[in-house]
Amino acid sequence: MRFLRSFVLLVVLALLLESQGFADDRFEAWLHRGERVAGQTISPLYNQPGEQIKLDNKPLGNSDNPPLALFCPLVPNLEANGPWVEFTNGDVVPGKITDWSPAQSNTAGSAQPEQLIVSLEASADFVSATIPVRPECVRRIWTGNREPKKLADGTVNTIDGRVVVARAIRFGAGGLECLTEKGVVVLSFDQLRDAAFAPLANPLAAANDSLWSKDDPALPGVVRFKTARGACLTCGSQLIQRSAEKYKTPAALEVLPNWAVQTLQLYPDRLRWVSWRNKHELPLTALPHEYATTTKAAQRWAPQRHHNVQGSELRCQGMSAEQGWGVHSGTSITVGLPPDAEKLHTWVGLDQCSGRGGCARAKVLRDQAGGEVLWESDFILGGQAPREVKLDVRGCKALVLVVEEAHDNRPQGADPWDIRDHVDWLWPMLTVAEKKNEISAASYEPLGRWIPALTGFELSPADRARTILRPVLTSRGFRFALVPLSEEQRDPGICLTKKVQITNNNARLDLAAGMDGVSGRHHHIVVEANGKPLPAHRGSLPVGSHSGVRGSLGEREYSLGPLIGQEASLSLWMQPDQYKPGSQGGIIIDAVTLGLLVAKLPASGKYLDADVSLTSTKPLNIDKDWIWAEGKSVIDTALVTKDLRFEHGTALPAGSQITIPLDPAWKRFVAVVGKRDPYQGAALLSIQLDGEPFWESDGPFEQGATAAQLDVELPPGHKTMTLKINIKEGFLVLGNAGFMAK
C-alpha cells in the first residue's frame, strides 16, 4: 500500500510538471496534413465570401494543404453543466427548450415552419438570448458537463426521477407528448432532464451541413464554430456573413446551421474554435456509434466525445482537436458507415494529460469487433506525436476504433500499469462519394423545409427533376432560391401547386419574389386558380435583374374573392422570359401569403344587406355628368374591388363629395368599401352629419390595403349625411351601400 501511495504521488507530480501548453500565442492552427502553426494576429473571419484567412499576414495553408482548425487559447473555456440541446448533425447549444410554435403565417407575411424556441445559457456568445430551431433536427437534450451515457431512443428522464419510455414523441404547446403503452403522457419542457429522440434513418441526411457548401481552392466549404460557453454550430461557407459594425454595436457573424429556422449571430471574439472540412467529408463523431470497454484498471474512464476522459479538450503532443473521442485503453468505438463511404483520415495519440507515462496500441477493424485489421500501430507513448491514419474503407459497413492495453512487452519508461493510458482519436473524418454542390428540389421534401413561403406547395415529378435549390444572401438574410434548369428556347416553365379551401379569411394572396442576383435567364410568375390566371394590378410578377438583385423584391396582390366557399387549386407558374446560355437565374420566393380580403365582416362572414340602397335615394348635390344607378360607378363603370363585383352601390372619385337627405327611420349606414379595380392611388372616406365632421376611416384605401365592411351608427336628429372622398386619385367603391332601419 505504501508503494502504491508513493507511485500515485509520483504520477501527480509528473502531470503537474509535464502538462504544459504550447507557446504563448494568441492563435494556434493546424493544416489538413497535421502541421501546427501559431501567430499573434489573424485576418477577420468572413469579411468577404471566400476570403483567404491569414495568420500574421501570411496565408493560412494553400489549395494542397488547406487549414483544418483555428484555436484561440485566449478565449476562455467556460463550458457549463447544461442543460444542452443536441441536434442530428452533432451540433449542441447550451440552453433549454422553452416554447413551441406550430406552422403558421407570421406578421412579416412569410409562412413560418413548426419551430421550437431554445433559451440560451450561452447568451453572452450570441447576439440574441433565444433561437428558433426545427423540431425534426433535435436529437437529444441532457444536463451535465460531459456527454451522458447512451439513452434508448424514445426514453425521457424527468427532473423528479421519472422514466418515460415512448413509442413516439412529438412536440406541442404543452411540452413533449409521449405515446406510451398506457396512453399519452404530456411532460412540460421545464420537467425534462434527459431525452433521446429517434435519429434520422439516413445518417448523411442527419449531417447535411455540406448541402449548401462550396469548397474554395484555399478554404474548405463546411465550417464549425465552438464558442466560449461550448455551443457548436456547423454550416456551409455560403451561409456565413459578417455583419457591419454600427455605432457601438460590434460586428457579428451570421450563420445558418441546417437545424436553425433563421440565422444566428455570433460574437467573433467569443469563438474558441473554428474548424473546416470539405463538403464531401463527414465527421465520424456525427454518425451512429457504440462504445465497448474491457479495461481492468482500478478506475473506469468513460469514453468522451469531443473531450478527453477527464472532460478537457483533446490535446496530444503537437496537435489539439475540437472533434474526436477521448478514451482509456481497453476501449473500442464501433461506428456505422453510410454506403458511399470511401476514406478515413484521423490521428491517434496519448492525451497530454497522460504526461510521458501512458502507453497503448491502436487498431482500426473492419465491420465488427474481431474483424479484419485495416490498420494498427506500434506502441504509442505519452509525449509522442500522434499517429496519422489514412485508410480506404470502401465496402465497409462499420469501423471499429480500438485502443488496447499494451501490457505485454511494455516499453521502458512507461507506467507499469495503465493508469495514465488516456488516448485521443483526433479529427476523425470520413470521405464520402462527392455529391452535387446544389441539391435537387426532389431530394429534400417538402419545399417548405427550405423555403417557408412555399409550405404546402408541390412540384410535379418532371419539374422536380429539373429544379435545384441554391442559397443566396439577401438584404433580409439568407434565402434559398428555386432554380429551374432548362436550355429550351420555348420553355413552359415550372409549376408549384397547392389545394386551398377559400374563405374570406384567406381570399387575398400577396406574392413577393425576386431574382437571386445570378446573371442568367429571367422569369415572370403567373398566379392561377383552377387553371385560370388571377388578375393583378400591373399583370404578372417579373423576376429579373431590375426587381430581384440581391434580394430586392417585386410584389403583387391577387384576389380569390370569386372563389369564396370553394376548394381551389392554386398554381404559381415560373415562366422564363427568354433563353440565355450560361447560368440560370434563381427565383427567391419571399412570401406567398393568404390573408383577409374584406375586414370587419360580421361573424356570419357575409356582407350586410341594406334595407334602402344608397342609389335609390335622391342626392341634394350631384354632378350633372354623373350616373346615379344601381351597380354603377358615377362614370358608368362596374363596381369591382378586390375582384369582387357588387350589384348595388356606387363608386365616387377622389376629391368628390355627395350629400344624401336622411330619413329619421334610418339607424345605420353600411357599405363594403375599397379602391376600384384596377387600383389607383389612395382614398380616405369621411362622413359629415349636417355639415359637421362625424366619422373618418382608420386609414386610406389603397393598393395593399384590405377592403372593409362599413357599419356606421347614425344618431337621431340629423337631416343630411355627406360622403367625402379625400385625396386626389382613383375611385372608391361603396358596394352594397345603403341604410338599415335596425
Side-chain angles (χ1 to χ4, degrees):
M1 182 64 69
R2 183 176 181 182
F3 170 77
L4 179 60
R5 286 198 300 267
S6 299
F7 178 76
V8 172
L9 179 59
L10 288 173
V11 169
V12 173
L13 289 173
L15 289 173
L16 292 174
L17 292 172
E18 297 177 18
S19 289
Q20 53 187 1
F22 295 118
D24 187 19
D25 289 304
R26 288 172 55 87
F27 301 100
E28 299 169 6
W30 288 267
L31 306 181
H32 266 69
R33 291 179 185 169
E35 298 100 316
R36 173 188 175 269
V37 292
Q40 296 296 318
T41 61
I42 191 165
S43 59
L45 291 172
Y46 297 99
N47 266 356
Q48 299 293 332
E51 180 184 26
Q52 189 171 22
I53 295 176
K54 294 182 179 180
L55 186 62
D56 287 346
N57 210 32
K58 295 179 181 179
L60 184 59
N62 53 50
S63 57
D64 295 326
N65 192 19
L68 172 66
L70 177 69
F71 178 49
C72 310
L74 298 185
V75 175
N77 185 7
L78 303 174
E79 290 189 49
N81 288 328
W84 302 85
V85 180
E86 181 180 344
F87 301 97
T88 49
N89 68 343
D91 285 357
V92 294
V93 293
K96 57 185 178 181
I97 300 170
T98 55
D99 201 2
W100 168 86
S101 296
Q104 59 187 324
S105 292
N106 60 28
T107 55
S110 296
Q112 175 181 287
E114 180 186 1
Q115 61 185 35
L116 298 170
I117 303 300
V118 175
S119 295
L120 296 165
E121 297 292 320
S123 57
D125 297 343
F126 296 83
V127 173
S128 174
T130 61
I131 55 174
V133 304
R134 300 180 186 275
E136 69 272 20
C137 292
V138 175
R139 176 68 184 94
R140 190 165 183 183
I141 58 177
W142 47 280
T143 300
N145 60 355
R146 295 192 179 192
E147 181 184 11
K149 294 181 179 179
K150 182 175 177 60
L151 197 64
D153 297 335
T155 303
V156 181
N157 295 328
T158 66
I159 58 175
D160 59 4
R162 283 184 294 165
V163 177
V164 177
V165 179
R167 295 177 177 176
I169 299 176
R170 69 180 183 183
F171 293 96
L176 285 189
E177 299 174 358
C178 306
L179 177 61
T180 70
E181 293 182 352
K182 296 182 178 180
V184 176
V185 177
V186 178
L187 302 172
S188 63
F189 293 128
D190 58 6
Q191 290 180 290
L192 307 179
R193 182 173 63 86
D194 194 0
F197 304 91
L200 296 180
N202 181 359
L204 289 181
N208 60 4
D209 314 288
S210 61
L211 288 178
W212 314 113
S213 66
K214 183 178 182 181
D215 289 339
D216 186 87
L219 194 64
V222 182
V223 188
R224 177 175 164 102
F225 300 101
K226 183 174 183 180
T227 69
R229 294 295 298 274
C232 296
L233 305 92
T234 310
C235 67
S237 57
Q238 288 180 285
L239 299 180
I240 304 170
Q241 84 161 19
R242 191 181 181 98
S243 63
E245 188 169 344
K246 295 181 179 180
Y247 304 107
K248 295 183 180 180
T249 303
L253 287 182
E254 291 194 38
V255 301
L256 183 60
N258 71 63
W259 43 263
V261 173
Q262 62 191 40
T263 56
L264 314 177
Q265 292 181 305
L266 300 171
Y267 290 120
D269 60 358
R270 300 285 292 181
L271 296 178
R272 185 168 171 84
W273 281 93
V274 183
S275 59
W276 296 268
R277 60 179 170 85
N278 291 313
K279 61 184 171 126
H280 54 280
E281 289 182 322
L282 192 64
L284 222 57
T285 53
L287 297 177
H289 56 275
E290 299 280 350
Y291 303 129
T293 304
T294 60
T295 182
K296 300 181 179 66
Q299 295 190 68
R300 291 187 178 273
W301 297 89
Q304 294 290 307
R305 187 174 53 159
H306 307 321
H307 297 87
N308 67 17
V309 292
Q310 294 183 344
S312 301
E313 288 173 316
L314 301 168
R315 174 162 287 196
C316 296
Q317 181 64 36
M319 176 175 281
S320 293
E322 186 272 316
Q323 297 179 66
W325 283 287
V327 300
H328 192 79
S329 60
T331 301
S332 64
I333 307 170
T334 302
V335 187
L337 301 186
D340 47 2
E342 294 184 339
K343 297 177 182 178
L344 170 70
H345 186 201
T346 187
W347 287 265
V348 59
L350 269 292
D351 190 272
Q352 190 165 296
C353 71
S354 299
R356 296 185 180 276
C359 177
R361 289 180 183 269
K363 291 182 179 180
V364 179
L365 307 180
R366 182 189 184 98
D367 293 341
Q368 59 188 352
E372 177 189 352
V373 177
L374 300 178
W375 176 89
E376 62 180 327
S377 72
D378 55 0
F379 290 104
I380 307 175
L381 301 176
Q384 292 182 344
R387 307 290 199 272
E388 186 175 14
V389 183
K390 288 186 175 182
L391 290 174
D392 187 327
V393 297
R394 284 175 290 190
C396 293
K397 297 179 181 179
L399 292 177
V400 185
L401 309 182
V402 180
V403 176
E404 294 180 335
E405 299 164 318
H407 288 310
D408 296 335
N409 301 316
R410 202 167 175 92
Q412 185 177 4
D415 297 339
W417 299 331
D418 60 352
I419 292 177
R420 292 193 287 177
D421 291 356
H422 302 326
V423 177
D424 297 337
W425 293 95
L426 309 168
W427 302 113
M429 288 292 171
L430 185 72
T431 301
V432 297
E434 191 167 357
K435 304 293 184 181
K436 277 186 176 182
N437 178 51
E438 297 151 317
I439 66 167
S440 167
S443 302
Y444 288 86
E445 292 186 295
L447 276 174
R449 166 67 169 86
W450 307 109
I451 307 176
L454 294 181
T455 298
F457 281 92
E458 295 181 353
L459 283 166
S460 70
D463 284 347
R464 289 200 306 267
R466 62 190 191 101
T467 305
I468 63 171
L469 301 177
R470 182 164 63 207
V472 60
L473 177 63
T474 76
S475 58
R476 301 191 185 189
F478 286 104
R479 295 290 187 270
F480 294 95
L482 201 62
V483 187
L485 300 177
S486 175
E487 296 183 356
E488 299 178 17
Q489 184 68 34
R490 297 182 179 274
D491 183 7
I494 63 172
C495 183
L496 296 117
T497 58
K498 180 179 183 178
K499 295 282 188 181
V500 180
Q501 185 68 36
I502 306 299
T503 68
N504 178 65
N505 291 331
N506 65 2
R508 165 180 163 157
L509 189 152
D510 289 292
L511 173 64
M515 191 173 176
D516 66 358
V518 174
S519 178
R521 198 168 195 175
H522 297 174
H523 296 77
H524 62 276
I525 302 177
V526 176
V527 180
E528 294 183 352
N530 297 334
K532 296 181 179 179
L534 293 176
H537 180 47
R538 295 177 292 165
S540 62
L541 175 61
V543 183
S545 58
H546 58 286
S547 66
V549 171
R550 289 298 178 193
S552 175
L553 303 170
E555 298 180 347
R556 290 288 186 273
E557 177 195 339
Y558 303 84
S559 171
L560 299 165
L563 299 174
I564 289 177
Q566 305 177 33
E567 183 181 69
S569 177
L570 297 184
S571 299
L572 304 180
W573 276 97
M574 319 292 176
Q575 298 179 343
D577 292 334
Q578 72 285 320
Y579 171 64
K580 288 185 178 181
S583 299
Q584 296 287 344
I587 303 166
I588 302 169
I589 308 294
D590 195 70
V592 184
T593 307
L594 295 172
L596 192 66
L597 187 65
V598 180
K600 301 181 180 179
L601 285 181
S604 65
K606 298 180 179 180
Y607 310 131
L608 295 174
D609 290 323
D611 298 321
V612 178
S613 172
L614 177 66
T615 50
S616 69
T617 66
K618 186 175 182 179
L620 298 178
N621 63 318
I622 188 169
D623 190 291
K624 63 179 180 178
D625 296 325
W626 283 8
I627 302 296
W628 193 245
E630 290 284 17
K632 298 284 187 180
S633 76
V634 293
I635 57 170
D636 198 20
T637 58
L639 303 183
V640 181
T641 181
K642 305 295 181 184
D643 207 27
L644 297 171
R645 180 162 185 160
F646 294 92
E647 300 300 326
H648 302 282
T650 189
L652 301 175
S656 68
Q657 64 181 46
I658 189 167
T659 301
I660 307 296
L662 293 177
D663 187 309
W666 298 343
K667 307 298 183 184
R668 295 151 61 193
F669 173 69
V670 297
V672 177
V673 183
K675 284 305 297 291
R676 191 190 67 174
D677 295 340
Y679 311 120
Q680 295 176 1
L684 194 68
L685 175 65
S686 64
I687 295 177
Q688 296 177 350
L689 296 180
D690 294 337
E692 296 295 326
F694 173 69
W695 178 92
E696 187 172 82
S697 57
D698 296 335
F701 295 92
E702 57 187 334
Q703 181 183 356
T706 58
Q709 172 70 68
L710 226 64
D711 185 3
V712 180
E713 187 174 347
L714 302 174
H718 294 284
K719 297 181 179 181
T720 64
M721 181 186 76
T722 301
L723 299 174
K724 187 173 183 180
I725 315 299
N726 301 320
I727 310 180
K728 298 181 179 179
E729 188 178 6
F731 277 71
L732 197 66
V733 170
L734 292 94
N736 283 9
F739 301 93
M740 298 182 70
K742 293 183 180 180

